[in-house]
Amino acid sequence: MAVTNFNQDKNQATIQELYCSAEFTREVHSDLIGLSAINIFLSVTAFLGNTLILVALHKETSLHPPSKLLYRNLVITDLCVGIIVQPLAVVYWISAVTGRWNICCYAHLPVTISATGLCAVSLLTLTAISVDRLLALLLGLRYRQVVTFRRTGIALLGMWIISILGTSSFLWDPVIHQWYTYSGVSLSLIALICSNTKIFSIVRHNQIQVQNHIVQGQPSQAIPALNIARYRKAVYSALWVQGTLFFCYLPHGIAVALTPAEGMRISIYLARQYTVSLVFLNSSLNPLLYCWKIREVRKAVRDSIRRLYC
């Protein structure tokens, strides 16, 4: 396939006009059709899977309400990807194939803004889940007094506002949007790494204390009022969700980073389209992870399916 270079200077086509031009997309029609078919299927699975998880979380009562609210927010972002972002992406790809350039331009910008905003909310929510697990470990009995449903809701509202404002900056200054993206991702990664490192350090220290007390025949007082086995399962469940997100997001980040400053090549354009579909795939994988790693959710989902068939 020929590689064509298109400059994106101020005096030339905008990004929307570039991505929605016959000259730029004529060589990749088969790829865009394939991506459309894949994402139609993934949109349906994301909608069904995340709707089922929302119903299960609503019926589940053993999870701490603030923790359940964090997972519910993550499920809502995945549901929005399935019912908003992926259909818009399919409209963009199909309109580029059929040459409906007005529709193509109108679809590309909402896809970019909504996808970036929802990805930002997902990353911030995962960071909040790690911080929540760390606070449960550090605060002990005071955890339920400090981490309340109301405070968690306010924190989530702040995440949505920050994500919407940061993503909207793309409309008036792409440079600000770029710095917002880089700084937001960097801070979230730092917070995630620090939280998880601290968690495993404390848990490891607790295990050593327990073993020492057992050897000495003394009762263990390490991390009182905390079921360490259940806590470890919750931490590992969050780690699986985090790892899956980074596995799906990292290739697209690499594709964006490899985009040359002087212009866009068709090979890079295709790489970005395929990797953004991998980002969308994350919304279909998360419901499977919840059922696999969270026993309470798995049981609620199983009961919901049984009632549905009955």
Side-chain angles (χ1 to χ4, degrees):
M1 181 175 59
V3 177
T4 308
N5 187 36
F6 292 86
N7 292 326
Q8 296 185 38
D9 298 331
K10 293 182 179 179
N11 296 328
Q12 295 181 330
T14 64
I15 294 177
Q16 285 74 30
E17 292 171 343
L18 177 67
Y19 281 15
C20 296
S21 62
E23 185 180 8
F24 192 72
T25 60
R26 62 188 175 188
E27 298 182 11
V28 295
H29 282 183
S30 59
D31 296 274
L32 298 183
I33 292 173
L35 286 172
S36 300
I38 292 172
N39 279 272
I40 289 173
F41 172 76
L42 291 179
S43 176
V44 174
T45 58
F47 168 73
L48 294 177
N50 287 287
T51 300
L52 193 58
I53 295 297
L54 274 180
V55 173
L57 287 174
H58 177 72
K59 296 179 179 180
E60 176 55 41
T61 57
S62 62
L63 292 174
H64 186 41
S67 300
K68 185 164 69 171
L69 181 60
L70 290 172
Y71 275 106
R72 186 177 294 173
N73 188 68
L74 193 59
V75 174
I76 289 174
T77 60
D78 290 333
L79 182 62
C80 289
V81 170
I83 63 177
I84 298 175
V85 181
Q86 287 180 288
L88 284 174
V90 170
V91 170
Y92 160 67
W93 288 321
I94 294 299
S95 60
V97 171
T98 57
R100 300 177 181 273
W101 305 120
N102 290 334
I103 298 177
C104 182
C105 290
Y106 284 123
H108 179 264
L109 185 59
V111 168
T112 302
I113 293 177
S114 58
T116 304
L118 290 172
C119 289
V121 174
S122 296
L123 185 57
L124 290 173
T125 304
L126 281 179
T127 305
I129 290 174
S130 290
V131 174
D132 174 70
R133 293 298 85 203
L134 179 59
L135 290 176
L137 191 60
L138 294 175
L139 297 177
L141 290 173
R142 295 180 56 243
Y143 168 70
R144 292 179 178 270
Q145 299 174 356
V146 175
V147 182
T148 62
F149 186 87
R150 180 175 179 273
R151 290 174 179 173
T152 304
I154 293 174
L156 289 177
L157 178 61
M159 293 176 194
W160 279 95
I161 293 174
I162 291 173
S163 300
I164 292 173
L165 292 178
T167 305
S168 300
S169 63
F170 178 81
L171 297 174
W172 61 81
D173 194 336
V175 176
I176 294 178
H177 177 266
Q178 187 176 23
W179 280 106
Y180 153 78
T181 302
Y182 290 155
S183 60
V185 171
S186 300
L187 291 174
S188 295
L189 289 177
I190 291 172
L192 276 171
I193 293 173
C194 291
S195 298
N196 290 328
T197 302
K198 184 67 173 177
I199 286 172
F200 283 103
S201 175
I202 296 175
V203 171
R204 178 60 180 168
H205 178 70
N206 171 256
Q207 290 175 337
I208 294 174
Q209 282 185 322
V210 171
Q211 291 173 359
N212 291 337
H213 282 291
I214 292 175
V215 171
Q216 297 173 7
Q218 300 174 358
S220 174
Q221 299 297 325
I223 313 184
L226 179 65
N227 186 330
I228 195 64
R230 183 175 181 180
Y231 176 83
R232 190 183 293 112
K233 289 182 179 180
V235 171
Y236 283 131
S237 298
L239 282 177
W240 270 96
V241 177
Q242 294 167 13
T244 303
L245 181 139
F246 289 126
F247 172 79
C248 293
Y249 282 32
L250 184 59
H252 186 66
I254 295 174
V256 172
L258 292 178
T259 302
E262 69 275 7
M264 172 72 72
R265 295 179 180 274
I266 292 180
S267 57
I268 296 295
Y269 167 79
L270 269 182
R272 294 178 66 157
Q273 300 308 305
Y274 277 109
T275 54
V276 83
S277 294
L278 187 60
V279 171
F280 297 157
L281 173 64
N282 180 248
S283 298
S284 296
L285 293 179
N286 279 341
L288 300 177
L289 289 176
Y290 302 145
C291 292
W292 179 31
K293 287 296 179 180
I294 305 178
R295 183 177 59 86
E296 296 85 356
V297 173
R298 181 170 64 251
K299 182 179 181 300
V301 168
R302 188 185 301 119
D303 292 341
S304 298
I305 294 176
R306 285 175 179 173
R307 280 192 292 268
L308 179 64
Y309 277 104
C310 291

